[in-house]
Amino acid sequence: MEHDQGAHLVRMVNQIATNLSHERDAATRVRVHLEKFWARSMKQRLIACLDDPGHKLTPLAHEAVKHLAGREAEKSHASSSAHQ
Amino acid sequence: MLEYFDPNQVAPDQSFLKDRFSKDWFSKDYGTPASLSEKHIALEIDGVEIRVPEGTSVLRAAALADINIPKLCASDNLEAFGSCRLCAVQVEGKRGYPAACTTPVEDGMRVTTQNDRLARLRRNVMELYISDHPLDCLTCPANGDCELQDMAGAVGLREVRYGFEGDNHLDAEKDHSNPYFSFDPSKCIVCSRCVRACEEVQGTFALTIDGRGFESKVSAGQSEAFMDSECVSCGACVQACPTSTLMEKSVIEAGQPDHSVITTCAYCGVGCSFKAEMKGDQVVRMVPWKGGDANHGHSCVKGRFAFGYATHKDRLTTPMIRDSIDQPWREVGWEEAITFAAERLKAIQASYGRESIGGITSSRCTNEETYLVQKLVRAAFGNNNTDTCARVCHSPTGYGLKTTLGESAGTQTFDSVMKADAIIVIGANPTDAHPVFASLMRRRLRQGASLIVADPRHIDLLDTPHLADAQHLPLRPGTNVALVNALAHVVITEGLEDHDFIARRCDDQAYRDWREFIGEPRHSPEAVEATTGVPADAVRRAARTYANAPNGAIYYGLGVTEHSQGSTMVMGIANLAMATGNIGREGVGVNPLRGQNNVQGSCDMGSFPHELPGYQHVADDTVRQRFEQSWGVPIDNEPGLRIPNMFDAAIEGTFKALYVQGEDIAQSDPNTQHVEAALTSLECLIVQDIFLNETAKYAHVLLPGSSFLEKNGTFTNAERRINRVRKVMPPRAGKEDWEVTVDLANALGYPMHYRHPSEIMDEIAQLTPTFTGVSYARLDELGSLQWPCNAEHPDGTPTMHEIDFPIGRGHFAITEYVATEERTNRRFPLLLTTGRILSQYNVGAQTRRTHNQLWHDEDVLEIHPSDAELRGIKDGDWLGITSRSGHIVLRALVSERMQPGVVYTTFHHPSSGANVITTDSSDWATNCPEYKVTAVEVEMVSQPSAWQQRFDDFDRQQRQFLDAAREPVASDRAL
């Protein structure tokens, strides 16, 4: 089931990437879309897929998810340092 | 649905009224429609001077001065007909006795409405009528509400010299075939009001006057019974009838109502206003209210007649609980049920975390109730796992329109269609799903507006009688975006765009990017013909018709949104409207036809996981802080789970409890077996509904809901119109739905203290910039309000985007066509598309518990004759329908409404399992399911599917659990 859920999210983000591929700054658009509309748990699961060398992310989706991962890491770093 | 009933348009002859929206104004029949002329004419009637708009009839002018000339065939929702001759008057300097209804006012005219001659003439007319009319007034169902009786009294009829022995119609045969009204021709005076109402108001043309002279009689179709004719049972004829010839069976049984309350229909997104006519706490009949801004006195078979479900014996009246779904229910008091639910929710959050629970708000409940459920989720559950049924219908509208036009709503009023010159209808079937608006649209089409329908099916709108110009673009399911791009390509390449509008109103860079994209030859009608299946010249002609019309309006439905590119298509439509300058005035616009009564409202009220009320994103710190201050708790700044994500998380084991108010996700959501698996995975499912719906069969807590007749609140219709819902009877289970949510919040330790829904609306107004001017006092004063309603627009906003867009400039979006992954192949060679039918509503929980069943008691599979022949299928054969998701069995209906290769069914009956075969493929932006495209194979079979057999077993068991728990029903108030 775990794997299925990841594959499902990858399919969803690929679909988003395909539909936004003709926009300017497509990777940013995809990343912003995920930030605006996806739940925290879904984003985390999606980011975890980056560790799977067999993931089926399209190049654009991959770029967007990498951006997302960076931003999320920054956010959690900022909030953990705020707590210290 | 008559323009002169629009309060704004009535204005020219309302100088007599102190109160512009007076209830009395709409209670009176002024005899003929209002004239909309700006020019006023002065005349004298019985010595009273009066000024009225040019074109007003003498009958109406007199009525405005409260001089009420007797009349029978005239009614102010119908054009003057001049057949009864009762409204005869004398005009100085003119010969004879003209009918006041057909005589327009003239400057300086002097009219006499009463003298000995006129009195004698009227008595003679009445005497002839009564000589062929049964004198059973005391036992007649119209007693107390009969215009014939009133007129006999008004003209002073004292004797009928002709006797009653001559030829007459007293033995004419009655027709009781319609379940809701009777036809008794012996009472008919052949005034033609029913025939004219069917034509002018409803637009169906099912009735006619058959024969001539003495033989004249009202006839449904070709002398058929009403049920066998083309009659759609809207009831306009019943309402128009001045006698008891056409009479509601409920009035025949109960007698005349003694009081009435104005409220709003709880069926489709048109949001008709009704007078609930009552005796005690019983509804005797629902009469569409002519002061209703959405419907102007018209209705459909659902709203007018199908209200019996509210008192059906299946109504849940006691809260129930159980530990697991294989156990019988246990009836408990409210307090025990609420405590049980709250403790479970708390325990689940303690074990699985704050994000392990969520709620689904209802698109059928009121704004206030919806607002409270999402507030409960965000404030008491402490997460943003809230969603609503709009997820599965119009979420792409929200995304698409917000991206392009800056606001998640339709741009017009319904009345705006009366100024449209070209009307495009895409993926919508208004005559079935939005019937009262369809009647208005048909009126405009009869006046000569062009109609373009883009739909895989030949919908009934294309068969509108007296249609001037109709073009059908029968595209293949799933190719919407290719088609809309081709239409836009024609506009751009043939120079039909509105350069001035684009320059003034739209973002230049986005426009130039889009223009370059859309101008590419691959988007030409010729290039996409093979994809869409629509001939290129038909596309070119349609684009020219729309772009060249002074006013072009686009209406669309779920055939646009419920696709893998639903959001892209909505943006494509907005692009087309902006490119042709068809935004920002009456007669144009982008108009989503909303499905359920309050689907617009449920979206406005913050039901979506990423948006607080008023479409304000949860990540916006300023917005969130305002809500946090008002609600007294921190709000999560990350979006929550959407409905399909909740299902996935439930199956995965991270989502454990769900509170569902007034939605039936087990029947309405796609891929039923997936939904069932998700619901079965939950440790606590709380369902609040008026019936044991399909979802409730998987529940642990069952909280009885209240029908729209049992509560106060507001609904918001497809034109952003906020209408009041008023309580006409006490809630069957003792609580209005909002009170239940309040109790649950309090039990969870989050205090809510509302005494009346008006206080909830005051809170909404305080937190939602587009609602700041909304209050119950303002709604009572004005009748209804269209948001945005705030300091800038104190009386609301009938037409959006008149000066600018909420995002400043309109944004052209790039709409690349991406074919759906759901494709036909040798195994699944047909495309299934799903939809609705007039007599049933959504999952059918309401309409299946009324006589509307007589029109549609099972879902069938419509299949083209060539596909049927290939498989040896005949009408009525049992068909197995198999998709990649599942297998069901339905009966066949061979129909040429489908194109070859496409089959169609409805989802009104749970045991049909239409959604067993729909897939979990969805819109890329919003996860709105792709209901409209499923690849299937169809073959003849001899037994129900395995799913249907399992469904029947489970259904039987769950009903037994319910019956075992319930005390014997005290009074059987079922139909």
Side-chain angles (χ1 to χ4, degrees), chain A residues 1-6 8-9 11-24 29-30 32-45 68 72 75, chain B residues 354-355 385 399 403 509 513 517 522 564-565 568 610 617 636-642 645 648-649 651-652 811 813-816 818 821 920-927:
Chain A
M1 200 52 80
E2 293 266 314
H3 177 75
D4 280 351
Q5 176 71 353
H8 186 55
L9 294 176
R11 185 180 154 204
M12 278 163 60
V13 73
N14 284 345
Q15 209 187 343
I16 294 167
T18 308
N19 275 278
L20 293 175
S21 60
H22 291 257
E23 296 277 358
R24 279 169 193 266
R29 295 284 302 267
V30 175
V32 170
H33 186 95
L34 297 173
E35 284 178 342
K36 272 179 85 172
F37 299 105
W38 280 33
R40 182 185 290 114
S41 55
M42 291 163 68
K43 283 183 275 207
Q44 286 165 353
R45 173 58 56 84
L68 178 71
E72 293 290 309
K75 261 200 308 196
Chain B
R354 185 166 54 88
E355 293 176 18
N385 293 334
Y399 179 89
T403 306
Q509 180 66 56
D513 287 352
F517 161 80
R522 66 196 177 94
S564 62
Q565 282 200 295
T568 313
H610 65 288
H617 202 278
D636 193 345
N637 65 354
E638 287 272 353
L641 297 167
R642 300 171 287 198
N645 313 143
D648 292 341
I651 291 170
E652 193 193 29
H811 178 83
I814 305 288
T815 51
E816 182 67 43
V818 179
E821 290 167 24
D920 53 8
S921 167
S922 68
D923 172 47
W924 64 272
T926 65
N927 277 164

Side-chain angles (χ1 to χ4, degrees), chain B residues 751-972:
Chain B
M752 285 191 187
H753 302 292
Y754 305 98
R755 287 162 302 175
H756 190 271
S758 63
E759 297 177 355
I760 306 172
M761 181 53 87
D762 293 342
E763 183 176 314
I764 296 166
Q766 188 202 326
L767 292 167
T768 312
T770 44
F771 272 66
T772 53
V774 181
S775 69
Y776 278 32
R778 287 288 282 156
L779 287 167
D780 287 342
E781 187 190 338
L782 295 178
S784 68
L785 280 167
Q786 285 174 278
W787 68 263
C789 175
N790 46 29
E792 275 175 66
H793 309 278
D795 288 344
T797 311
T799 307
M800 300 269 289
H801 316 311
E802 281 180 317
I803 296 160
D804 56 10
F805 294 99
I807 45 172
R809 288 177 164 260
H811 178 83
F812 280 88
I814 305 288
T815 51
E816 182 67 43
Y817 168 65
V818 179
T820 170
E821 290 167 24
E822 182 67 18
R823 287 177 201 166
T824 54
N825 58 17
R826 275 171 58 192
R827 214 173 127 217
F828 302 111
L830 300 170
L831 282 179
L832 168 81
T833 176
T834 62
R836 287 155 176 74
I837 202 159
L838 172 66
S839 55
Q840 298 282 6
Y841 176 68
N842 204 271
V843 294
Q846 293 139 290
T847 43
R848 278 186 281 112
R849 292 180 171 94
T850 70
H851 292 305
N852 278 28
Q853 279 287 85
L854 292 175
W855 282 276
H856 182 84
D857 62 359
E858 68 174 311
D859 296 317
V860 295
L861 189 85
E862 288 186 39
I863 182 166
H864 189 272
S866 65
D867 292 324
E869 195 184 338
L870 205 66
R871 293 165 176 80
I873 295 166
K874 298 183 300 298
D875 262 347
D877 284 345
W878 286 108
L879 301 182
I881 304 124
T882 310
S883 74
R884 293 179 178 94
S885 286
H887 172 71
I888 58 164
V889 172
L890 296 173
R891 238 189 262 271
L893 176 68
V894 179
S895 159
E896 286 191 2
R897 291 209 303 178
M898 312 309 310
Q899 47 180 294
V902 181
V903 293
Y904 172 83
T905 189
T906 48
F907 69 108
H908 301 303
H909 293 270
S911 60
S912 315
N915 282 323
V916 171
I917 46 177
T918 55
T919 68
D920 53 8
S921 167
S922 68
D923 172 47
W924 64 272
T926 65
N927 277 164
C928 178
E930 189 180 32
Y931 288 105
K932 302 295 184 184
V933 188
T934 308
V936 296
E937 176 55 301
V938 170
E939 62 196 337
M940 302 228 309
V941 294
S942 57
Q943 60 174 16
S945 71
W947 178 86
Q948 281 160 323
Q949 290 173 28
R950 273 203 314 280
F951 173 89
D952 287 342
D953 293 343
F954 183 65
D955 180 58
R956 201 173 308 115
Q957 184 197 34
Q958 293 296 328
R959 282 176 192 281
Q960 280 166 3
F961 287 163
L962 182 72
D963 291 341
R966 293 173 93 170
E967 290 162 7
V969 180
S971 61
D972 186 359

Side-chain angles (χ1 to χ4, degrees), chain B residues 461-580:
Chain B
L461 199 62
L462 287 162
D463 297 328
T464 295
H466 305 289
L467 201 54
D469 170 32
Q471 303 173 34
H472 184 200
L473 310 177
L475 75 171
R476 275 197 199 105
T479 63
N480 283 342
V481 173
L483 179 71
V484 82
N485 283 347
L487 289 167
H489 177 89
V490 175
V491 168
I492 295 304
T493 54
E494 296 191 5
L496 304 175
E497 71 250 72
D498 184 338
H499 294 289
D500 176 55
F501 180 90
I502 296 163
R504 278 189 301 112
R505 302 289 308 274
C506 302
D507 180 76
D508 188 50
Q509 180 66 56
Y511 170 64
R512 278 187 285 136
D513 287 352
W514 175 77
R515 198 175 193 286
E516 193 181 329
F517 161 80
I518 209 74
E520 291 170 23
R522 66 196 177 94
H523 298 305
S524 74
E526 292 72 19
V528 301
E529 184 173 324
T531 305
T532 62
V534 184
D537 55 349
V539 176
R540 287 196 178 273
R541 183 170 162 233
R544 289 169 195 150
T545 303
Y546 172 72
N548 288 326
N551 284 336
I554 305 177
Y555 294 84
Y556 71 87
L558 305 183
V560 159
T561 55
E562 290 176 347
H563 286 279
S564 62
Q565 282 200 295
S567 293
T568 313
M569 182 59 185
V570 171
M571 295 190 285
I573 288 171
N575 289 343
L576 190 60
M578 287 192 290
T580 52

